[in-house]
Amino acid sequence: MAVTLKDIARDLGVSTVTVSKVLRGQTDISDKTRERVLKRMRELNYQPNMLARALAGGRSQAVGLVVPDLIHPFFGEFARSLAGALRSEGLVLVLASSEEDPEIEEQEIKTLLARGVDVLLVASCRPATHPSPALAEASTPVLLVDRHFLDLPMDFVGTNDLMVGELAGRHLVGIGRRRIAHIGGRGISPTADRLQGFQRALAAAGVDLAEAYVVMRDGFEESGDATGYHAMQELLSLREPPDAVFCYNDLSAIGAMEAAMQAGLRIPQDIAFIGCGNLRYAEYLRVPLTSVDQSSHRLGELAAKRVLDLSAGAGAAPQTLRLEPRLIVRKSTVA
Amino acid sequence: MAVTLKDIARDLGVSTVTVSKVLRGQTDISDKTRERVLKRMRELNYQPNMLARALAGGRSQAVGLVVPDLIHPFFGEFARSLAGALRSEGLVLVLASSEEDPEIEEQEIKTLLARGVDVLLVASCRPATHPSPALAEASTPVLLVDRHFLDLPMDFVGTNDLMVGELAGRHLVGIGRRRIAHIGGRGISPTADRLQGFQRALAAAGVDLAEAYVVMRDGFEESGDATGYHAMQELLSLREPPDAVFCYNDLSAIGAMEAAMQAGLRIPQDIAFIGCGNLRYAEYLRVPLTSVDQSSHRLGELAAKRVLDLSAGAGAAPQTLRLEPRLIVRKSTVA
DNA sequence: TTGAAAGCGCTAACAA
DNA sequence: TTGTTAGCGCTTTCAA
C-alpha cells in the first residue's frame, strides 16, 4: 500500500488535518511542525492521492481536452502548448480524441466530466448547427476550441477564420489569378467562415467566385489527401479549369496538387495552390506549399489563460478569443 | 450539484447499495427493482462520479500513457489505436507528454500514478541505462513502449528494432550500394538496436560500415530535420561521401535529403536514403522516401491486450512483445 | 496553532 | 434479494 496522510500523522503524533495543511502550504502551522511533517514526507516518499483530494476538495486540478484527431498536427501542437502552460500552473491536461465521431465525442465528454475535470476544452466534430447535448448541459465550465456552435454563446478560442479566407483570397488575386476555386468543407464553423472571408476578398478585387468553382466535401482531417485529390479531379474536368485553388487545409492541398501534377499541369505556372495549417512538412513537399498559419502554439497559451479564469470561477460572460492567421508564401503560388 | 446515487436511492426508498449494484450490473437484484432504478437514473440523467468510484473501489478504469512527443506521428497513431482498443473494453486512456524532458517525464509519471491509473504505459525519453526512479518503484503495473531499459526486466511492447536495421541494411546492399552510412542516435534503446541490426546485415553481405560513416546525434524527434541536415553535411564533407544513408527516422532523412540535394546530388542515382517510421507524408515529399514501417496501429492493439492482462493482475513474469517492421520502397532508393 | 467531527460519492463485506 | 456498517484518503468547518 501507498503511504497516506494518516501514516505521517500517526508517525508524528499529530492530526491528519495538520499534515493536510502542510501539504497544501497553509500558513497557520508552526515552522517546527511544518519541518517535521515535510521531513517525514520526504523520508516516506509520500505522494498525495489525487483522487481522494479531488473528491474531498471538489477540485481535481485537471483540465480535459477533447480533439477530433490526435494525429492532426494542429491539435497536437495546440495540446502541447496548452499542456505546457497548464503544467506551470500546477494543472494537468487530460487528453482525449473523438476520432471525428460524434458518438465517441459524446462519450469522451461524459467521461471527462465524470472524472471531475475543472474545465473542459472541446474541439467538436459536430456540425455547428448541432451542439453536443452533454456539453450544453454541463455544469463544469466549457471552452470551445477551433470550432464554435451557432446560436450557442459559449467561451471560445480559435483562429480568425474569416481572415484565413481573406489572406488566401487576396494572395491569389495579388499574383494575378482570376479563375479562382475553393475546395472546402461543411458542417463545422471554420469551413463557412473561411469561405466567407475568401469570397469577401475576391469580391473586393472584383473577381467572381463561380459556383462551379466551389467544391464542398467532407473528411478533411483523416483522409484529406484523398478528398483533395478527388475534388481537384472534378475541377479539372470543367471546360475551363481554375488557375488557382484555395484548399480548406494543407492535407487536401497536397492531394489536390497531386491531381494537378498528374494531369500534366505545372505549379504554380498553370495553377497555384494555397492551403491552411502550415504543416511541418509543407516546405519539404514536391512543391513546397503556400499556407495560412494558425499559430497553434499561441492559441494554446491563450486557451490556458482563459482556462485559469474559468477554473477560478472568474468566468463572467462567455468570451470569444480569436488569433490572427499569417500567410506563409512558398513555391506553390510564387515560383 | 450533480445527481448522486443517494438521490436515486432516496427517491425510490431503497438503499444506496442497491442502486450501486444496479449501476454495476450485479445480478442479485430483482428485475423489478432494477427497472425502477434504471428508469430513475435515466430520468435524472445520472452520471456516476468516477473519482468516488475509483477511490472506493480501488480501480479507476483508467490507463495512463506518457509519450515523449505528441506531435510525433508514431506516438499519435499508437495512442489512437491504443485508445480505441481500450475504449471497447470500458477503459479510458489518459495521455501525457514529456516533451523529451526527463524532468517533465518524471512529473507526469508521478501525476498519473497519483491519479490512480490502473496501468501505466511509458515511452521514456531517458537513456536506456538510466531508468526513471518513479517507474522503478511504482506499485502500479507498468508497460514500457518503444524503448526499454537495460538490465531492468519490465513488460515491454515495441518494434523489432534489430530487424529495422537489418531491413534497411539488406535493402541498401541489395540495390548495389557499398559506401553505406548511418545517421543515428544514442541513449534510448532503439538507436542501438537499429544500428546493430544494420551492421549485421552489412556484415552478412561483406560490406563494411566505416567508422567515419556512422554519425551519432541527439534530437531526432522535435527537430529531426535540422539534425539530419547537419549530420548529412558532415558526411558530404568526407573525401569519399557515401552512396547510401540509413537515417534513424524519417524526419532526419528528410533533412539529410535536403542537404544532399543542395549539394547537387541526385537521389537515388548518386545517393540513396532510407528512413524509419513511414510518415504519412513520405510519399508526397520532393523525393518520396523509402522507409521502414513500424505498424504503430498494430502495436497499439498489442499493447491494449497486455494492458488488459496487467490490469487484471494476470501479470506474472514481465513479457517482451515485439512487432516485425516492413520495408516500404519508394523513389529515394529505387528510381 | 492545532485538532475533532463530518463528509465528498461510492464500494466491499457481511448480515438480515 | 436487500440493507447495514465501515471505510477509500483527503478536505472543510469550526471549536479549542
Side-chain angles (χ1 to χ4, degrees):
Chain A
M1 271 320 289
V3 182
T4 72
L5 270 194
K6 223 197 243 166
D7 296 329
I8 305 207
R10 190 184 357 82
D11 289 0
L12 264 38
V14 300
S15 79
T16 60
V17 178
T18 303
V19 180
S20 171
K21 283 179 174 169
V22 172
L23 184 62
R24 284 172 293 138
Q26 307 258 82
T27 53
D28 58 347
I29 294 288
S30 72
D31 285 353
K32 188 158 154 268
T33 308
R34 157 168 291 111
E35 276 318 314
R36 289 178 61 218
V37 170
L38 290 174
K39 175 155 170 288
R40 193 74 190 131
M41 281 181 175
R42 262 180 265 113
E43 287 168 1
L44 298 181
N45 187 26
Y46 168 71
Q47 301 291 142
N49 179 327
M50 296 308 282
L51 293 175
R53 183 192 282 222
L55 181 59
R59 300 193 19 123
S60 63
Q61 318 279 26
V63 171
L65 170 64
V66 182
V67 298
D69 184 358
L70 270 177
I71 319 280
H72 197 303
F74 170 74
F75 293 113
E77 278 167 32
F78 174 81
R80 178 217 293 253
S81 156
L82 176 67
L86 292 178
R87 190 183 309 116
S88 62
E89 300 288 337
L91 297 177
V92 298
L93 181 66
V94 180
L95 260 170
S97 165
S98 67
E99 306 302 329
E100 298 281 356
D101 179 335
E103 306 253 333
I104 297 182
E105 176 179 304
E106 198 69 2
Q107 197 188 323
E108 296 287 3
I109 288 172
K110 283 185 183 163
T111 299
L112 287 172
L113 292 174
R115 300 196 112 81
V117 294
D118 296 335
V119 180
L120 180 58
L121 315 206
V122 181
S124 175
C125 61
R126 291 177 158 266
T129 45
H130 293 81
S132 143
L135 224 49
E137 294 162 11
S139 58
T140 302
V142 171
L143 176 56
L144 296 178
V145 177
D146 188 54
R147 300 117 183 249
H148 62 81
F149 295 114
L150 302 174
D151 314 318
L152 185 62
M154 293 179 86
D155 270 283
F156 174 75
V157 170
T159 308
N160 184 334
D161 285 303
L162 275 174
M163 192 173 298
V164 168
E166 283 182 10
L167 286 175
R170 263 187 248 143
H171 180 59
L172 295 181
V173 168
I175 59 171
R177 307 297 160 128
R178 289 301 175 267
R179 299 197 311 280
I180 299 180
H182 177 54
I183 295 177
R186 51 197 157 202
I188 60 175
S189 62
T191 61
D193 293 348
R194 287 180 197 174
L195 174 56
Q196 193 189 331
F198 190 59
Q199 278 174 319
R200 186 186 293 176
L202 297 196
V207 175
D208 188 48
L209 181 60
E211 203 168 314
Y213 277 177
V214 177
V215 183
M216 294 298 217
R217 288 296 157 86
D218 294 306
F220 275 89
E221 317 299 348
E222 174 71 39
S223 52
D225 43 356
T227 303
Y229 183 87
H230 292 119
M232 191 63 216
Q233 285 188 319
E234 193 168 299
L235 287 171
L236 289 172
S237 72
L238 295 174
R239 276 200 325 278
E240 200 176 30
D243 61 6
V245 185
F246 166 40
C247 300
Y248 176 68
N249 63 12
D250 287 348
L251 198 50
S252 55
I254 289 174
M257 288 199 294
E258 286 290 313
M261 287 187 285
Q262 270 185 23
L265 296 177
R266 294 165 307 160
I267 303 171
Q269 294 88 340
D270 301 325
I271 185 165
F273 287 91
I274 180 168
C276 177
N278 194 27
L279 265 187
R280 174 177 204 164
Y281 306 100
E283 62 174 304
Y284 298 124
L285 297 172
R286 199 155 308 153
V287 179
L289 178 65
T290 292
S291 185
V292 182
D293 186 274
Q294 300 184 77
S295 53
S296 38
H297 182 80
R298 283 198 302 137
L299 213 52
E301 293 172 345
L302 193 63
K305 280 210 189 90
R306 186 64 187 151
V307 163
L308 258 34
D309 290 346
L310 290 173
S311 141
Q319 205 170 303
T320 290
L321 302 169
R322 289 189 180 269
L323 236 43
E324 309 232 323
R326 267 173 25 214
L327 181 71
I328 311 290
V329 178
R330 298 199 184 86
K331 299 233 171 90
S332 69
T333 56
V334 177
Chain B
M1 270 321 285
V3 182
T4 71
L5 269 195
K6 224 197 242 166
D7 297 328
I8 304 206
R10 190 184 359 80
D11 290 359
L12 263 38
V14 300
S15 80
T16 60
V17 176
T18 302
V19 180
S20 171
K21 283 178 176 171
V22 171
L23 184 62
R24 285 171 294 140
Q26 308 257 80
T27 52
D28 59 347
I29 294 288
S30 71
D31 286 353
K32 189 159 154 262
T33 309
R34 158 167 292 110
E35 276 318 314
R36 288 178 63 216
V37 172
L38 289 175
K39 175 156 172 284
R40 193 75 190 133
M41 281 181 176
R42 264 180 261 115
E43 286 168 2
L44 299 181
N45 187 27
Y46 168 72
Q47 300 291 139
N49 180 325
M50 297 308 283
L51 293 175
R53 181 189 282 217
L55 182 59
R59 303 195 14 130
S60 63
Q61 318 279 27
V63 171
L65 171 64
V66 182
V67 298
D69 184 359
L70 270 177
I71 320 281
H72 198 303
F74 170 73
F75 294 112
E77 278 167 32
F78 174 81
R80 180 219 290 253
S81 154
L82 176 68
L86 293 178
R87 183 165 41 234
S88 61
E89 300 289 334
L91 298 176
V92 298
L93 181 67
V94 181
L95 259 170
S97 165
S98 68
E99 307 301 328
E100 298 281 354
D101 179 334
E103 306 253 332
I104 297 182
E105 176 179 306
E106 199 67 2
Q107 197 187 323
E108 295 288 2
I109 288 171
K110 284 185 181 162
T111 299
L112 288 173
L113 291 174
R115 299 196 113 80
V117 294
D118 296 334
V119 180
L120 180 58
L121 315 207
V122 181
S124 174
C125 62
R126 291 176 158 267
T129 46
H130 292 80
S132 143
L135 222 49
E137 294 163 8
S139 58
T140 301
V142 171
L143 176 56
L144 296 179
V145 176
D146 188 54
R147 300 117 183 250
H148 61 82
F149 295 115
L150 303 174
D151 313 318
L152 186 61
M154 293 180 86
D155 271 282
F156 173 74
V157 171
T159 307
N160 185 333
D161 285 303
L162 274 174
M163 192 173 297
V164 168
E166 283 182 11
L167 286 176
R170 264 187 247 143
H171 180 60
L172 295 181
V173 168
I175 58 171
R177 307 297 160 127
R178 290 300 176 266
R179 300 197 311 279
I180 300 179
H182 176 53
I183 296 177
R186 51 198 157 203
I188 59 175
S189 62
T191 61
D193 294 346
R194 288 181 197 174
L195 174 56
Q196 195 189 328
F198 190 60
Q199 278 173 317
R200 184 186 294 177
L202 298 196
V207 175
D208 188 49
L209 180 59
E211 204 169 314
Y213 278 179
V214 177
V215 184
M216 296 297 217
R217 289 296 156 83
D218 293 307
F220 275 88
E221 317 299 348
E222 174 70 40
S223 52
D225 42 355
T227 303
Y229 183 87
H230 292 118
M232 191 64 219
Q233 285 188 319
E234 193 169 301
L235 287 172
L236 289 172
S237 72
L238 295 174
R239 277 199 327 277
E240 198 176 30
D243 61 6
V245 186
F246 166 40
C247 300
Y248 176 69
N249 63 13
D250 287 348
L251 198 49
S252 56
I254 290 174
M257 288 200 293
E258 286 290 313
M261 287 186 286
Q262 269 184 24
L265 297 177
R266 293 165 308 160
I267 304 173
Q269 294 87 341
D270 301 326
I271 183 165
F273 287 90
I274 180 168
C276 178
N278 193 27
L279 266 187
R280 176 179 202 161
Y281 305 101
E283 61 174 303
Y284 298 124
L285 298 172
R286 198 155 309 153
V287 179
L289 178 64
T290 293
S291 185
V292 182
D293 185 273
Q294 300 184 78
S295 53
S296 38
H297 182 80
R298 283 196 304 138
L299 214 53
E301 292 172 346
L302 193 63
K305 279 210 190 88
R306 187 63 187 150
V307 163
L308 257 35
D309 290 346
L310 290 173
S311 139
Q319 203 171 305
T320 289
L321 302 169
R322 287 188 181 272
L323 236 42
E324 309 233 322
R326 267 175 22 216
L327 180 71
I328 311 289
V329 178
R330 297 198 184 87
K331 300 235 171 89
S332 69
T333 55
V334 177

